[in-house]
Amino acid sequence: MSTRILAIDTATEACSVALYNEGETLAHFELCAREHTQRILPLVQQILAEAGLTLNQLDALAFGRGPGSFTGVRIGIGMAQGLSLGAELPLLPVSTLQTMAQGAYRQTGAENVLAAIDARMGEVYWGEFSRNAQGVWSGESTEKVIKPEQLTEQTGSLTGRFATVGTGWEAYPHLLGESPVVELFDGKMLLPHAEDMLPLALQLWENGVRVNPEDAEPTYLRNEVTWKKLPGR
């Protein structure tokens, strides 16, 4: 059966769109910190024009649900909701951290990935992901916002070889302390790319996972902790 899915991500300082069109993939990626609202719609229009498609010819629209920048995640969801309402498309929510794990697999073949996005305020958004032989990732249940010093304690049971992805590893080079049992290598994926959302979105689609536009929710992870106001804000 032919499937057409558009993916949108604005959860970080990157802005990207990708289109799965009956087995063919088109993708555009830009660094556009603080310009997401100006850039995302033109990118969507450009990729649809390249494929010779309209929104009404798509089956579904995938969006980066976070975690990531509060503003960026909200912009992406708002855009996805607007586009899907107009074309009556179901939405597919895709984890930002899992997207980067898929990116590491695309770039390096890594099947075990540690994802960390710099969450500011001395914390990182964290996830531990593993890919099975069928290409399905597990690990969404490990997603959390955490201070690096707490992470060292919580990951003591990790062993083996893991790709690292995300800005958290640049912000905190010794994120896992001096762990002697975990071998780390660069997963070549600093920021999420919408093209890596497509395999995950296709799995959701095939498994019957659908979200109505009005029910699309961001994953901030900080919802579960007390918000601390920054000094002087």
Side-chain angles (χ1 to χ4, degrees), residues 101-131:
Q102 175 66 31
Y105 174 77
R106 174 172 59 85
Q107 294 277 45
T108 70
E111 295 186 330
N112 295 293
V113 181
L114 301 177
I117 295 176
D118 183 4
R120 311 287 190 249
M121 294 167 59
E123 296 176 319
V124 293
Y125 298 121
W126 175 262
E128 303 159 22
F129 299 96
S130 293
R131 185 181 188 273

PDB file of all heavy atoms in Angstrom, residues 101-131:
ATOM      1  N   ALA A 101      18.323   9.097  17.835  1.00  0.00           N
ATOM      2  CA  ALA A 101      18.834   7.725  17.868  1.00  0.00           C
ATOM      3  C   ALA A 101      18.743   7.094  16.480  1.00  0.00           C
ATOM      4  O   ALA A 101      19.688   6.442  16.009  1.00  0.00           O
ATOM      5  CB  ALA A 101      18.038   6.899  18.883  1.00  0.00           C
ATOM      6  N   GLN A 102      17.621   7.314  15.803  1.00  0.00           N
ATOM      7  CA  GLN A 102      17.462   6.821  14.430  1.00  0.00           C
ATOM      8  C   GLN A 102      18.497   7.468  13.515  1.00  0.00           C
ATOM      9  O   GLN A 102      19.037   6.823  12.601  1.00  0.00           O
ATOM     10  CB  GLN A 102      16.046   7.118  13.935  1.00  0.00           C
ATOM     11  CG  GLN A 102      15.782   6.769  12.480  1.00  0.00           C
ATOM     12  CD  GLN A 102      15.844   5.283  12.185  1.00  0.00           C
ATOM     13  OE1 GLN A 102      15.520   4.456  13.042  1.00  0.00           O
ATOM     14  NE2 GLN A 102      16.251   4.923  10.978  1.00  0.00           N
ATOM     15  N   GLY A 103      18.799   8.745  13.757  1.00  0.00           N
ATOM     16  CA  GLY A 103      19.823   9.445  12.979  1.00  0.00           C
ATOM     17  C   GLY A 103      21.194   8.825  13.163  1.00  0.00           C
ATOM     18  O   GLY A 103      21.966   8.691  12.205  1.00  0.00           O
ATOM     19  N   ALA A 104      21.508   8.426  14.390  1.00  0.00           N
ATOM     20  CA  ALA A 104      22.788   7.768  14.653  1.00  0.00           C
ATOM     21  C   ALA A 104      22.869   6.441  13.920  1.00  0.00           C
ATOM     22  O   ALA A 104      23.920   6.058  13.396  1.00  0.00           O
ATOM     23  CB  ALA A 104      22.975   7.557  16.155  1.00  0.00           C
ATOM     24  N   TYR A 105      21.734   5.734  13.867  1.00  0.00           N
ATOM     25  CA  TYR A 105      21.712   4.471  13.118  1.00  0.00           C
ATOM     26  C   TYR A 105      21.948   4.738  11.625  1.00  0.00           C
ATOM     27  O   TYR A 105      22.725   4.024  10.976  1.00  0.00           O
ATOM     28  CB  TYR A 105      20.376   3.756  13.321  1.00  0.00           C
ATOM     29  CG  TYR A 105      20.241   2.517  12.468  1.00  0.00           C
ATOM     30  CD1 TYR A 105      20.902   1.345  12.817  1.00  0.00           C
ATOM     31  CD2 TYR A 105      19.484   2.537  11.292  1.00  0.00           C
ATOM     32  CE1 TYR A 105      20.797   0.207  12.022  1.00  0.00           C
ATOM     33  CE2 TYR A 105      19.383   1.407  10.499  1.00  0.00           C
ATOM     34  CZ  TYR A 105      20.043   0.255  10.866  1.00  0.00           C
ATOM     35  OH  TYR A 105      19.949  -0.858  10.072  1.00  0.00           O
ATOM     36  N   ARG A 106      21.298   5.778  11.095  1.00  0.00           N
ATOM     37  CA  ARG A 106      21.475   6.111   9.674  1.00  0.00           C
ATOM     38  C   ARG A 106      22.924   6.482   9.372  1.00  0.00           C
ATOM     39  O   ARG A 106      23.484   6.097   8.337  1.00  0.00           O
ATOM     40  CB  ARG A 106      20.548   7.287   9.306  1.00  0.00           C
ATOM     41  CG  ARG A 106      20.745   7.821   7.892  1.00  0.00           C
ATOM     42  CD  ARG A 106      19.679   8.839   7.521  1.00  0.00           C
ATOM     43  NE  ARG A 106      19.625   9.996   8.392  1.00  0.00           N
ATOM     44  CZ  ARG A 106      20.391  11.087   8.257  1.00  0.00           C
ATOM     45  NH1 ARG A 106      21.296  11.145   7.292  1.00  0.00           N
ATOM     46  NH2 ARG A 106      20.256  12.111   9.084  1.00  0.00           N
ATOM     47  N   GLN A 107      23.557   7.206  10.269  1.00  0.00           N
ATOM     48  CA  GLN A 107      24.913   7.701  10.020  1.00  0.00           C
ATOM     49  C   GLN A 107      26.008   6.676  10.325  1.00  0.00           C
ATOM     50  O   GLN A 107      27.024   6.639   9.641  1.00  0.00           O
ATOM     51  CB  GLN A 107      25.166   8.952  10.888  1.00  0.00           C
ATOM     52  CG  GLN A 107      24.308  10.152  10.515  1.00  0.00           C
ATOM     53  CD  GLN A 107      24.884  10.942   9.356  1.00  0.00           C
ATOM     54  OE1 GLN A 107      25.325  10.375   8.350  1.00  0.00           O
ATOM     55  NE2 GLN A 107      24.902  12.252   9.484  1.00  0.00           N
ATOM     56  N   THR A 108      25.794   5.883  11.376  1.00  0.00           N
ATOM     57  CA  THR A 108      26.888   5.024  11.857  1.00  0.00           C
ATOM     58  C   THR A 108      26.509   3.560  12.009  1.00  0.00           C
ATOM     59  O   THR A 108      27.374   2.731  12.287  1.00  0.00           O
ATOM     60  CB  THR A 108      27.399   5.514  13.232  1.00  0.00           C
ATOM     61  OG1 THR A 108      26.394   5.249  14.229  1.00  0.00           O
ATOM     62  CG2 THR A 108      27.714   7.013  13.209  1.00  0.00           C
ATOM     63  N   GLY A 109      25.217   3.230  11.868  1.00  0.00           N
ATOM     64  CA  GLY A 109      24.782   1.857  12.098  1.00  0.00           C
ATOM     65  C   GLY A 109      24.592   1.522  13.566  1.00  0.00           C
ATOM     66  O   GLY A 109      24.336   0.360  13.916  1.00  0.00           O
ATOM     67  N   ALA A 110      24.681   2.514  14.431  1.00  0.00           N
ATOM     68  CA  ALA A 110      24.553   2.286  15.874  1.00  0.00           C
ATOM     69  C   ALA A 110      23.165   1.751  16.229  1.00  0.00           C
ATOM     70  O   ALA A 110      22.156   2.259  15.741  1.00  0.00           O
ATOM     71  CB  ALA A 110      24.796   3.588  16.633  1.00  0.00           C
ATOM     72  N   GLU A 111      23.137   0.736  17.070  1.00  0.00           N
ATOM     73  CA  GLU A 111      21.860   0.172  17.517  1.00  0.00           C
ATOM     74  C   GLU A 111      21.620   0.393  19.011  1.00  0.00           C
ATOM     75  O   GLU A 111      20.556   0.039  19.531  1.00  0.00           O
ATOM     76  CB  GLU A 111      21.797  -1.314  17.169  1.00  0.00           C
ATOM     77  CG  GLU A 111      21.808  -1.538  15.658  1.00  0.00           C
ATOM     78  CD  GLU A 111      21.608  -2.983  15.261  1.00  0.00           C
ATOM     79  OE1 GLU A 111      22.015  -3.883  16.039  1.00  0.00           O
ATOM     80  OE2 GLU A 111      21.045  -3.229  14.170  1.00  0.00           O
ATOM     81  N   ASN A 112      22.604   0.954  19.697  1.00  0.00           N
ATOM     82  CA  ASN A 112      22.457   1.362  21.095  1.00  0.00           C
ATOM     83  C   ASN A 112      22.914   2.806  21.209  1.00  0.00           C
ATOM     84  O   ASN A 112      24.056   3.125  20.852  1.00  0.00           O
ATOM     85  CB  ASN A 112      23.283   0.463  22.022  1.00  0.00           C
ATOM     86  CG  ASN A 112      22.787  -0.967  22.017  1.00  0.00           C
ATOM     87  OD1 ASN A 112      21.690  -1.263  22.483  1.00  0.00           O
ATOM     88  ND2 ASN A 112      23.599  -1.865  21.461  1.00  0.00           N
ATOM     89  N   VAL A 113      22.020   3.660  21.671  1.00  0.00           N
ATOM     90  CA  VAL A 113      22.270   5.104  21.596  1.00  0.00           C
ATOM     91  C   VAL A 113      21.899   5.776  22.911  1.00  0.00           C
ATOM     92  O   VAL A 113      20.858   5.480  23.505  1.00  0.00           O
ATOM     93  CB  VAL A 113      21.446   5.748  20.448  1.00  0.00           C
ATOM     94  CG1 VAL A 113      21.721   7.254  20.367  1.00  0.00           C
ATOM     95  CG2 VAL A 113      21.776   5.076  19.114  1.00  0.00           C
ATOM     96  N   LEU A 114      22.761   6.692  23.344  1.00  0.00           N
ATOM     97  CA  LEU A 114      22.473   7.544  24.501  1.00  0.00           C
ATOM     98  C   LEU A 114      22.266   8.967  23.983  1.00  0.00           C
ATOM     99  O   LEU A 114      23.179   9.565  23.410  1.00  0.00           O
ATOM    100  CB  LEU A 114      23.636   7.507  25.501  1.00  0.00           C
ATOM    101  CG  LEU A 114      23.980   6.123  26.065  1.00  0.00           C
ATOM    102  CD1 LEU A 114      25.185   6.212  26.993  1.00  0.00           C
ATOM    103  CD2 LEU A 114      22.783   5.519  26.795  1.00  0.00           C
ATOM    104  N   ALA A 115      21.045   9.473  24.146  1.00  0.00           N
ATOM    105  CA  ALA A 115      20.686  10.795  23.628  1.00  0.00           C
ATOM    106  C   ALA A 115      20.611  11.795  24.759  1.00  0.00           C
ATOM    107  O   ALA A 115      20.010  11.527  25.814  1.00  0.00           O
ATOM    108  CB  ALA A 115      19.338  10.720  22.910  1.00  0.00           C
ATOM    109  N   ALA A 116      21.218  12.964  24.557  1.00  0.00           N
ATOM    110  CA  ALA A 116      21.183  14.021  25.570  1.00  0.00           C
ATOM    111  C   ALA A 116      21.090  15.375  24.888  1.00  0.00           C
ATOM    112  O   ALA A 116      21.950  15.727  24.080  1.00  0.00           O
ATOM    113  CB  ALA A 116      22.429  13.960  26.453  1.00  0.00           C
ATOM    114  N   ILE A 117      20.037  16.115  25.179  1.00  0.00           N
ATOM    115  CA  ILE A 117      19.873  17.480  24.680  1.00  0.00           C
ATOM    116  C   ILE A 117      20.108  18.433  25.849  1.00  0.00           C
ATOM    117  O   ILE A 117      19.559  18.229  26.944  1.00  0.00           O
ATOM    118  CB  ILE A 117      18.450  17.703  24.110  1.00  0.00           C
ATOM    119  CG1 ILE A 117      18.215  16.835  22.874  1.00  0.00           C
ATOM    120  CG2 ILE A 117      18.228  19.173  23.758  1.00  0.00           C
ATOM    121  CD1 ILE A 117      16.793  16.928  22.326  1.00  0.00           C
ATOM    122  N   ASP A 118      20.915  19.451  25.634  1.00  0.00           N
ATOM    123  CA  ASP A 118      21.134  20.470  26.659  1.00  0.00           C
ATOM    124  C   ASP A 118      19.800  21.144  26.972  1.00  0.00           C
ATOM    125  O   ASP A 118      19.188  21.768  26.105  1.00  0.00           O
ATOM    126  CB  ASP A 118      22.154  21.492  26.146  1.00  0.00           C
ATOM    127  CG  ASP A 118      22.503  22.550  27.188  1.00  0.00           C
ATOM    128  OD1 ASP A 118      22.020  22.446  28.334  1.00  0.00           O
ATOM    129  OD2 ASP A 118      23.254  23.482  26.838  1.00  0.00           O
ATOM    130  N   ALA A 119      19.323  20.990  28.207  1.00  0.00           N
ATOM    131  CA  ALA A 119      18.026  21.550  28.608  1.00  0.00           C
ATOM    132  C   ALA A 119      18.180  22.877  29.342  1.00  0.00           C
ATOM    133  O   ALA A 119      17.212  23.381  29.903  1.00  0.00           O
ATOM    134  CB  ALA A 119      17.286  20.538  29.495  1.00  0.00           C
ATOM    135  N   ARG A 120      19.406  23.430  29.341  1.00  0.00           N
ATOM    136  CA  ARG A 120      19.703  24.644  30.106  1.00  0.00           C
ATOM    137  C   ARG A 120      19.452  24.373  31.598  1.00  0.00           C
ATOM    138  O   ARG A 120      19.167  23.290  32.004  1.00  0.00           O
ATOM    139  CB  ARG A 120      18.869  25.844  29.620  1.00  0.00           C
ATOM    140  CG  ARG A 120      18.907  26.044  28.103  1.00  0.00           C
ATOM    141  CD  ARG A 120      20.246  26.590  27.648  1.00  0.00           C
ATOM    142  NE  ARG A 120      20.206  26.994  26.250  1.00  0.00           N
ATOM    143  CZ  ARG A 120      20.848  26.360  25.279  1.00  0.00           C
ATOM    144  NH1 ARG A 120      21.549  25.277  25.553  1.00  0.00           N
ATOM    145  NH2 ARG A 120      20.807  26.793  24.036  1.00  0.00           N
ATOM    146  N   MET A 121      19.588  25.405  32.422  1.00  0.00           N
ATOM    147  CA  MET A 121      19.327  25.298  33.860  1.00  0.00           C
ATOM    148  C   MET A 121      20.094  24.138  34.502  1.00  0.00           C
ATOM    149  O   MET A 121      19.643  23.521  35.470  1.00  0.00           O
ATOM    150  CB  MET A 121      17.815  25.156  34.126  1.00  0.00           C
ATOM    151  CG  MET A 121      17.035  26.401  33.753  1.00  0.00           C
ATOM    152  SD  MET A 121      15.247  26.159  33.683  1.00  0.00           S
ATOM    153  CE  MET A 121      14.882  25.603  35.339  1.00  0.00           C
ATOM    154  N   GLY A 122      21.262  23.811  33.940  1.00  0.00           N
ATOM    155  CA  GLY A 122      22.091  22.763  34.520  1.00  0.00           C
ATOM    156  C   GLY A 122      21.533  21.364  34.378  1.00  0.00           C
ATOM    157  O   GLY A 122      21.858  20.474  35.166  1.00  0.00           O
ATOM    158  N   GLU A 123      20.692  21.139  33.343  1.00  0.00           N
ATOM    159  CA  GLU A 123      20.059  19.837  33.150  1.00  0.00           C
ATOM    160  C   GLU A 123      20.145  19.396  31.689  1.00  0.00           C
ATOM    161  O   GLU A 123      20.422  20.205  30.801  1.00  0.00           O
ATOM    162  CB  GLU A 123      18.585  19.887  33.579  1.00  0.00           C
ATOM    163  CG  GLU A 123      18.381  20.156  35.066  1.00  0.00           C
ATOM    164  CD  GLU A 123      16.916  20.298  35.431  1.00  0.00           C
ATOM    165  OE1 GLU A 123      16.163  20.923  34.667  1.00  0.00           O
ATOM    166  OE2 GLU A 123      16.531  19.783  36.502  1.00  0.00           O
ATOM    167  N   VAL A 124      19.878  18.111  31.468  1.00  0.00           N
ATOM    168  CA  VAL A 124      19.784  17.586  30.098  1.00  0.00           C
ATOM    169  C   VAL A 124      18.490  16.784  29.956  1.00  0.00           C
ATOM    170  O   VAL A 124      17.976  16.225  30.929  1.00  0.00           O
ATOM    171  CB  VAL A 124      20.982  16.670  29.725  1.00  0.00           C
ATOM    172  CG1 VAL A 124      22.274  17.456  29.658  1.00  0.00           C
ATOM    173  CG2 VAL A 124      21.100  15.478  30.670  1.00  0.00           C
ATOM    174  N   TYR A 125      17.957  16.766  28.733  1.00  0.00           N
ATOM    175  CA  TYR A 125      16.914  15.812  28.375  1.00  0.00           C
ATOM    176  C   TYR A 125      17.637  14.542  27.958  1.00  0.00           C
ATOM    177  O   TYR A 125      18.512  14.573  27.092  1.00  0.00           O
ATOM    178  CB  TYR A 125      16.067  16.338  27.219  1.00  0.00           C
ATOM    179  CG  TYR A 125      15.332  17.612  27.524  1.00  0.00           C
ATOM    180  CD1 TYR A 125      15.552  18.763  26.767  1.00  0.00           C
ATOM    181  CD2 TYR A 125      14.403  17.674  28.557  1.00  0.00           C
ATOM    182  CE1 TYR A 125      14.869  19.935  27.030  1.00  0.00           C
ATOM    183  CE2 TYR A 125      13.720  18.842  28.834  1.00  0.00           C
ATOM    184  CZ  TYR A 125      13.954  19.973  28.070  1.00  0.00           C
ATOM    185  OH  TYR A 125      13.283  21.130  28.343  1.00  0.00           O
ATOM    186  N   TRP A 126      17.250  13.421  28.553  1.00  0.00           N
ATOM    187  CA  TRP A 126      18.031  12.183  28.426  1.00  0.00           C
ATOM    188  C   TRP A 126      17.161  11.022  27.973  1.00  0.00           C
ATOM    189  O   TRP A 126      16.003  10.915  28.365  1.00  0.00           O
ATOM    190  CB  TRP A 126      18.647  11.861  29.785  1.00  0.00           C
ATOM    191  CG  TRP A 126      19.389  10.554  29.869  1.00  0.00           C
ATOM    192  CD1 TRP A 126      18.912   9.367  30.360  1.00  0.00           C
ATOM    193  CD2 TRP A 126      20.736  10.301  29.470  1.00  0.00           C
ATOM    194  NE1 TRP A 126      19.878   8.388  30.279  1.00  0.00           N
ATOM    195  CE2 TRP A 126      21.015   8.948  29.741  1.00  0.00           C
ATOM    196  CE3 TRP A 126      21.737  11.099  28.900  1.00  0.00           C
ATOM    197  CZ2 TRP A 126      22.236   8.359  29.463  1.00  0.00           C
ATOM    198  CZ3 TRP A 126      22.959  10.517  28.615  1.00  0.00           C
ATOM    199  CH2 TRP A 126      23.207   9.167  28.896  1.00  0.00           C
ATOM    200  N   GLY A 127      17.743  10.117  27.162  1.00  0.00           N
ATOM    201  CA  GLY A 127      17.068   8.889  26.782  1.00  0.00           C
ATOM    202  C   GLY A 127      18.069   7.819  26.392  1.00  0.00           C
ATOM    203  O   GLY A 127      19.125   8.127  25.819  1.00  0.00           O
ATOM    204  N   GLU A 128      17.756   6.558  26.719  1.00  0.00           N
ATOM    205  CA  GLU A 128      18.605   5.408  26.378  1.00  0.00           C
ATOM    206  C   GLU A 128      17.820   4.517  25.413  1.00  0.00           C
ATOM    207  O   GLU A 128      16.742   4.028  25.765  1.00  0.00           O
ATOM    208  CB  GLU A 128      18.948   4.625  27.654  1.00  0.00           C
ATOM    209  CG  GLU A 128      19.627   5.464  28.723  1.00  0.00           C
ATOM    210  CD  GLU A 128      19.501   4.857  30.118  1.00  0.00           C
ATOM    211  OE1 GLU A 128      19.266   3.625  30.216  1.00  0.00           O
ATOM    212  OE2 GLU A 128      19.613   5.613  31.097  1.00  0.00           O
ATOM    213  N   PHE A 129      18.355   4.317  24.208  1.00  0.00           N
ATOM    214  CA  PHE A 129      17.594   3.631  23.157  1.00  0.00           C
ATOM    215  C   PHE A 129      18.346   2.428  22.590  1.00  0.00           C
ATOM    216  O   PHE A 129      19.567   2.475  22.416  1.00  0.00           O
ATOM    217  CB  PHE A 129      17.274   4.614  22.024  1.00  0.00           C
ATOM    218  CG  PHE A 129      16.440   5.778  22.467  1.00  0.00           C
ATOM    219  CD1 PHE A 129      17.026   6.980  22.820  1.00  0.00           C
ATOM    220  CD2 PHE A 129      15.061   5.654  22.568  1.00  0.00           C
ATOM    221  CE1 PHE A 129      16.262   8.041  23.262  1.00  0.00           C
ATOM    222  CE2 PHE A 129      14.279   6.710  23.008  1.00  0.00           C
ATOM    223  CZ  PHE A 129      14.883   7.918  23.353  1.00  0.00           C
ATOM    224  N   SER A 130      17.580   1.391  22.273  1.00  0.00           N
ATOM    225  CA  SER A 130      18.132   0.194  21.624  1.00  0.00           C
ATOM    226  C   SER A 130      17.221  -0.199  20.465  1.00  0.00           C
ATOM    227  O   SER A 130      15.995  -0.135  20.585  1.00  0.00           O
ATOM    228  CB  SER A 130      18.236  -0.967  22.621  1.00  0.00           C
ATOM    229  OG  SER A 130      19.195  -0.668  23.615  1.00  0.00           O
ATOM    230  N   ARG A 131      17.835  -0.633  19.373  1.00  0.00           N
ATOM    231  CA  ARG A 131      17.102  -1.004  18.163  1.00  0.00           C
ATOM    232  C   ARG A 131      17.186  -2.509  17.981  1.00  0.00           C
ATOM    233  O   ARG A 131      18.269  -3.101  18.031  1.00  0.00           O
ATOM    234  CB  ARG A 131      17.737  -0.279  16.972  1.00  0.00           C
ATOM    235  CG  ARG A 131      17.035  -0.456  15.634  1.00  0.00           C
ATOM    236  CD  ARG A 131      17.816   0.312  14.560  1.00  0.00           C
ATOM    237  NE  ARG A 131      17.106   0.354  13.282  1.00  0.00           N
ATOM    238  CZ  ARG A 131      17.186  -0.585  12.344  1.00  0.00           C
ATOM    239  NH1 ARG A 131      17.948  -1.650  12.540  1.00  0.00           N
ATOM    240  NH2 ARG A 131      16.510  -0.463  11.214  1.00  0.00           N
TER     241      ARG A 131
END
